């Protein structure tokens, strides 16, 4: 299932992700820091959702209370993980 999440408080505007049986298959960020977000997407592809949540949840970007990685975790929670 491909899911689109509208981010809040980050330079990226949306995250499109695909999760199958608790494993992240594909992620695409719209907007934001292109190189860094491609790296995040490639690093988490194939990882269990729980591992991604443990590693990325709560990361902040500068003075912001969230980050693109944290928004990814919020998207996963909204999906029911």
């Amino acid at each position: 299932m491909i899911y689109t999440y509208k981010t809040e408080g980050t330079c990226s505007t949306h995250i499109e992700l695909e999760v199958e049986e608790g494993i992240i298959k594909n992620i695409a960020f719209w907007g934001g820091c292109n190189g860094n977000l491609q790296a995040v997407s490639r690093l988490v592809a194939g990882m269990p959702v729980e591992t991604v949540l443990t590693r990325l949840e709560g990361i902040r970007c500068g003075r912001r209370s969230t980050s693109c990685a944290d928004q990814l975790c919020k998207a996963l929670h909204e999906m029911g993980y």
Side-chain angles (χ1 to χ4, degrees):
M1 169 177 96
I2 296 176
Y3 184 78
T4 301
Y5 178 79
K6 183 175 178 354
T7 59
E8 294 180 17
T10 60
C11 297
S12 66
T13 59
H14 293 78
I15 304 169
E16 188 175 275
L17 58 151
E18 184 176 4
V19 178
E20 290 181 12
E21 299 179 11
I23 304 294
I24 296 180
K25 296 297 179 184
N26 191 31
I27 299 174
F29 288 85
W30 299 348
C33 303
N34 187 39
N36 288 332
L37 294 175
Q38 282 186 57
V40 169
S41 298
R42 290 180 188 186
L43 287 169
V44 301
M47 271 189 189
V49 169
E50 292 303 320
T51 302
V52 173
L53 291 172
T54 300
R55 292 181 181 181
L56 302 182
E57 196 160 31
I59 291 176
R60 297 171 49 138
C61 185
R63 294 181 182 174
R64 297 174 187 200
S65 62
T66 190
S67 66
C68 292
D70 186 55
Q71 289 293 298
L72 169 59
C73 294
K74 291 183 185 315
L76 292 167
H77 284 304
E78 191 171 281
M79 291 177 72
Y81 293 99

